[in-house]
Amino acid sequence: NELMPGHVHLNSLAQAIKLGIAEAGGTPLEFPCIAVCDGIATGHEGMRMPMISRELIADSTYLMATAHAFDAIVMISNCDKVTPGMLMAAGRLNIPAIIVTGGPMDTGCFKGSPACYNDLMEAEGQVERNKMSIDDLSEFEQTANVGPGACSLMGTANCMNMLTEALGMTLTDGALIPATWGKRVALARQAGRQIMELHDRNICPRDIMTLEAFENAIAVDMAISGSTNTTIHLPAIAREVGIELSLDTFNKMAELIPHLTLLKPAGRFFPRDMYDAGGLAALMQELHRHGLIHQDCLTVTGNTISENVMGREIRNTEVIHRVENPISKRGGIKVLYGNL
């Protein structure tokens, strides 16, 4: 929809997917989905709406696909509650399904320094403390969010897109190809063709989203120091396929998986930097090399995770660290218990 930067460009991806489906002999039929921008739904009554939207997205997608007896489905997503909601629907439907995300927003630039939405939020505080003028803030607003895509940071949107790739529910590099690149349109077209292969082979989400696949997703979550919202979304997705994920699972995985990359807002790098450094496939190959992920998990490519990441290398070890030289030996999320 046109209400949120993460989705404003998705129509071009929808057309590419439909072309791919038709090329492979299918009949593409499109229907829309609601989406709430957490960055806009803030500071007013709208703050109550984002989490509710996840359930509505899952329910309405399930309703439409069931009512019209779809043979398979390609789900187009990009933001905080949308990707989890669609994964929930995919698990509930259990018909061949692929997630295609819209990719991360390009990195902005303010007065010669790279910037993103998080920097803009912090700048509001600078104005309140008289350390930045309102005119500078106005300029910043025009340069921090430079175009379509998921906010250029390790927020829930980019994090869940990466975990979707780790789960095996999107094509390789589907998480981090920048939103504005033609390569993302090409990936969408490929997804249209690939959904027909999944249909022909009857590969369904519950064949892909196994306990081992969720453990892979949590392993990646720890390696990227993902959004803490993953502790809400991954168990909800898992429940749709009959798997119970406890918070203890996150703590146990954190003890096993080192923290390998640190993006904004905690670090200084951006999603584009991670893509240029080799992308999620390079990070997963590094984990695979050390036996830290389940290598035989099936994915929507029709291949296993290990086959998808084979040959991928880290190109910049400042952005994606080696297991031998982690940012931290412990994963990036810690679940605390008791009276805080």
Side-chain angles (χ1 to χ4, degrees):
N1 65 59
E2 295 178 342
L3 294 167
M4 54 199 303
H7 283 224
V8 72
H9 65 307
L10 295 188
N11 187 56
S12 61
L13 300 185
Q15 299 311 307
I17 291 166
K18 289 161 73 175
L19 177 60
I21 291 171
E23 287 174 333
T27 302
L29 297 166
E30 180 183 354
F31 68 93
C33 174
I34 63 165
V36 171
C37 179
D38 289 48
I40 295 173
T42 186
H44 56 87
E45 183 70 10
M47 293 177 75
R48 300 169 183 259
M49 304 304 158
M51 196 60 195
I52 299 169
S53 76
R54 187 190 77 176
E55 311 309 309
L56 292 174
I57 289 162
D59 291 347
S60 61
T61 304
Y62 173 80
L63 182 152
M64 285 290 288
T66 303
H68 296 93
F70 280 7
D71 296 307
I73 189 167
V74 180
M75 302 176 177
I76 313 172
S77 173
N78 211 32
C79 290
D80 291 24
K81 311 305 181 293
V82 188
T83 302
M86 289 188 173
L87 285 167
M88 289 167 66
R92 195 182 305 174
L93 286 164
N94 201 37
I95 59 175
I98 296 177
I99 307 289
V100 173
T101 72
M105 185 183 293
D106 290 332
T107 306
C109 183
F110 179 62
K111 294 191 172 181
S113 298
C116 66
Y117 170 66
N118 187 76
D119 300 305
L120 180 61
M121 289 192 291
E122 292 176 355
E124 295 173 20
Q126 298 286 337
V127 173
E128 289 294 322
R129 293 193 295 274
N130 295 315
K131 292 184 177 180
M132 177 183 283
S133 71
I134 196 71
D135 289 339
D136 277 348
L137 180 62
S138 179
E139 181 186 341
F140 203 165
E141 286 176 333
Q142 298 173 53
T143 57
N145 297 327
V146 294
C151 297
S152 185
L153 51 94
M154 182 58 80
T156 306
N158 283 313
C159 176
M160 284 307 304
N161 290 351
M162 286 190 241
L163 299 196
T164 300
E165 187 173 336
L167 272 172
M169 285 299 294
T170 192
L171 299 182
T172 308
D173 289 324
L176 286 175
I177 294 172
T180 57
W181 285 22
K183 195 172 182 180
R184 180 155 292 279
V185 180
L187 180 136
R189 185 172 173 180
Q190 180 186 351
R193 294 193 294 264
Q194 183 62 22
I195 194 65
M196 296 302 295
E197 180 179 334
L198 295 186
H199 173 260
D200 291 344
R201 295 173 59 185
N202 194 32
I203 296 175
C204 297
R206 294 183 194 179
D207 300 318
I208 295 169
M209 291 195 288
T210 61
L211 176 59
E212 290 76 16
F214 279 100
E215 289 179 349
N216 282 350
I218 297 173
V220 168
D221 195 14
M222 296 305 157
I224 65 176
S225 189
S227 164
T228 53
N229 283 338
T230 59
T231 63
I232 298 171
H233 295 316
L234 285 178
I237 298 161
R239 181 166 290 184
E240 297 289 352
V241 298
I243 295 171
E244 292 294 325
L245 283 184
S246 70
L247 291 179
D248 282 337
T249 306
F250 289 82
N251 273 348
K252 289 174 182 176
M253 294 296 291
E255 295 297 334
L256 297 173
I257 309 297
H259 179 193
L260 301 181
T261 189
L262 192 62
L263 306 185
K264 284 276 189 174
R268 61 188 176 93
F269 295 111
F270 297 84
R272 168 66 188 275
D273 296 318
M274 185 172 173
Y275 179 70
D276 290 341
L280 191 70
L283 181 141
M284 291 194 74
Q285 171 64 9
E286 179 68 6
L287 294 177
H288 173 255
R289 192 166 64 89
H290 290 269
L292 296 174
I293 60 171
H294 300 287
Q295 61 181 359
D296 294 328
C297 290
L298 185 63
T299 75
V300 294
T301 66
N303 299 321
T304 64
I305 279 287
S306 63
E307 289 170 329
N308 288 349
V309 304
M310 187 181 300
R312 296 295 292 266
E313 294 293 335
I314 297 171
R315 302 191 191 109
N316 185 335
T317 54
E318 283 190 72
V319 180
I320 303 174
H321 288 233
R322 300 278 183 195
V323 166
E324 295 88 350
N325 182 37
I327 296 166
S328 167
K329 291 182 179 180
R330 192 187 190 283
I333 291 178
K334 172 78 171 179
V335 179
L336 304 179
Y337 294 87
N339 184 345
L340 303 184

